[in-house]
Amino acid sequence: MSALASSSSTSGVYLGGSASSIKVHKMGLGVMMLTWIKPQLTDEQAFASIKAAIDLVPKDEKLFLNSAEFYGGPSHFTANLELLARFFTKYPELTDRVFLSVKGGTAADTIFVVDGSPQNLRRSVDAINAALDGTKKVDLFECARVDPKIPVEEVMRSLKELIAEGKFDHIGVSEISAATLKKAAAVAEIAAIEIEVSPWSYEDETEKVIATAAELKIPIIAYSPLGRGFLTGQISQETLAQDDPRRRLARFKEDAMTHNQKIIDALTAIAQAKGVTVAQLSLAWVCNLGPHIVPIPGSSKVHRVQENFAAGEIKLTEEEVKSIKDAVTGIGVQGGRYGGLSREVEHLWG
């Protein structure tokens, strides 16, 4: 059983900094998997998911839609943005219903090289705008990771120059530590902060960044709030395709999945007692962390989008919040958030 989809009683979230007059819905949409998975979705399938999310957002709010220069994967970096360009070409009346956030700042042909130089930021933003082909202006640009070679203050100044040229409207930051966030916010108006947040991805630094964001009056955009799909309870060794890129992640290795299934079993019991799905329980837990939290789950299925958005209306008791935390910490998550390498190598919490 799951909660019914509803947006009538929702209250949105105001963005920060230069975008403080813009109100987005309390649930956003990540679109990475619309072009990352195999077999490739048809435009009709992808468009249906995006439109379903927009339809659930009240008219006085915008859908926070999160894409990236590289969400097409290594074979076609900008495929995700080109998909969005086709969507906005078909539905031009929906462009103003969406707040489009796009990550960039990696090398031109690989996500494993972080390059915050002025030259590469310009290249990245230009590539993004070229892929969108004038169908929708980029509302917010953010570097996907913090470049340790360049002071974040210099990166912010470079982005401000690109805004002055009219290439995009607002600045965001991603996978950033609380200390670096304070430095960035001292020299630029930050509209949003994107970090990973879910019941099984809640580290000490996560808590610090959420608290710092609240002090700065900047919302948290919570990516992977469903643990890259694992916290839906629908993924197992048997159901995950052999060529699925998630199999390269530490938490999706066979031994780790077997162990982490115990967390799903515990959360499922809590969800069933609440009368919601385990995915909705996980999203409600993320929302419960603060009124400035906007989860951005993604799905290629309309009914899953509707299920996810309904989670924004679910209220958890203190006892339920504690039971979810106790279940995760008591069992313990096996495997790191990405490949299990150091945070320096994976450019985490820059």
Side-chain angles (χ1 to χ4, degrees):
M1 183 167 64
S2 66
L4 296 175
S6 170
S7 60
S8 58
S9 63
T10 180
S11 58
V13 177
Y14 281 96
L15 297 173
S18 58
S20 59
S21 65
I22 299 173
K23 185 167 65 168
V24 299
H25 193 55
K26 68 170 71 174
M27 196 71 66
L29 183 71
V31 293
M32 173 180 172
M33 297 308 286
L34 297 185
T35 50
W36 201 271
I37 59 175
K38 296 179 180 179
Q40 189 79 41
L41 295 176
T42 65
D43 278 3
E44 182 180 14
Q45 291 172 310
F47 290 1
S49 293
I50 299 170
K51 194 170 184 302
I54 296 172
D55 288 344
L56 289 167
V57 175
K59 300 297 184 183
D60 65 332
E61 299 173 0
K62 292 178 181 286
L63 172 70
F64 193 102
L65 192 150
N66 189 259
S67 182
E69 178 190 0
F70 47 80
Y71 274 0
S75 63
H76 190 174
F77 242 38
T78 57
N80 196 268
L81 294 165
E82 291 165 25
L83 171 74
L84 293 180
R86 296 193 298 275
F87 175 83
F88 290 120
T89 296
K90 184 173 183 178
Y91 300 105
E93 70 278 9
L94 298 181
T95 55
D96 290 339
R97 301 290 315 283
V98 169
F99 185 89
L100 178 60
S101 167
V102 185
K103 288 185 291 293
T106 65
D109 56 356
T110 175
I111 62 174
F112 299 108
V113 175
V114 178
D115 184 355
S117 67
Q119 298 83 0
N120 187 61
L121 292 178
R122 180 176 294 276
R123 179 213 59 76
S124 181
V125 170
D126 285 346
I128 289 165
N129 284 328
L132 289 170
D133 196 26
T135 58
K136 166 74 175 163
K137 187 171 185 180
V138 174
D139 293 299
L140 179 148
F141 174 84
E142 57 183 352
C143 294
R145 294 292 186 269
V146 176
D147 187 342
K149 305 181 298 299
I150 301 174
V152 71
E153 295 90 342
E154 292 184 20
V155 174
M156 293 298 107
R157 292 186 186 101
S158 295
L159 295 180
K160 288 166 71 174
E161 290 180 7
L162 295 173
I163 287 178
E165 295 177 23
K167 292 184 179 292
F168 60 93
D169 287 339
H170 307 285
I171 296 172
V173 291
S174 177
E175 199 61 52
I176 193 169
S177 68
T180 306
L181 171 59
K182 291 177 181 177
K183 293 178 182 178
V187 296
E189 293 189 89
I190 307 299
I193 303 156
E194 185 181 347
I195 60 171
E196 182 173 356
V197 189
S198 75
W200 78 346
S201 292
Y202 192 70
E203 306 166 12
D204 290 342
E205 194 63 36
T206 316
E207 193 169 1
K208 291 178 184 177
V209 173
I210 290 174
T212 301
E215 293 171 7
L216 296 170
K217 295 182 171 56
I218 306 171
I220 292 289
I221 307 302
Y223 80 81
S224 295
L226 294 175
R228 295 170 181 80
F230 195 78
L231 297 179
T232 64
Q234 305 295 314
I235 292 179
S236 66
Q237 278 292 322
E238 292 71 32
T239 61
L240 195 64
Q242 289 301 314
D243 61 350
D244 192 296
R246 285 172 289 189
R247 284 190 177 274
R248 296 195 291 268
L249 302 177
R251 292 179 183 178
F252 287 81
K253 300 298 183 183
E254 185 171 358
D255 289 348
M257 286 186 72
T258 299
H259 172 85
N260 292 332
Q261 181 61 40
K262 299 174 187 175
I263 295 175
I264 298 301
D265 295 341
L267 295 183
T268 298
I270 299 169
Q272 289 175 342
K274 183 76 171 175
V276 300
T277 68
V278 66
Q280 289 179 320
L281 185 79
S282 297
L283 290 170
W285 184 89
V286 174
C287 290
N288 186 79
L289 294 172
H292 63 310
I293 312 290
V294 179
I296 50 169
S299 180
S300 60
K301 299 178 175 63
V302 169
H303 72 281
R304 293 297 183 200
V305 171
Q306 294 168 337
E307 175 186 321
N308 291 342
F309 271 63
E313 302 298 328
I314 298 170
K315 307 301 180 187
L316 300 179
T317 65
E318 289 185 11
E319 182 179 348
E320 288 166 340
V321 171
K322 182 178 184 300
S323 65
I324 293 167
K325 182 178 180 180
D326 288 349
V328 176
T329 57
I331 297 168
V333 181
Q334 184 169 319
R337 289 200 279 133
Y338 284 90
L341 304 175
S342 70
R343 63 188 263 178
E344 290 79 17
V345 171
E346 296 182 336
H347 299 288
L348 306 180
W349 301 125

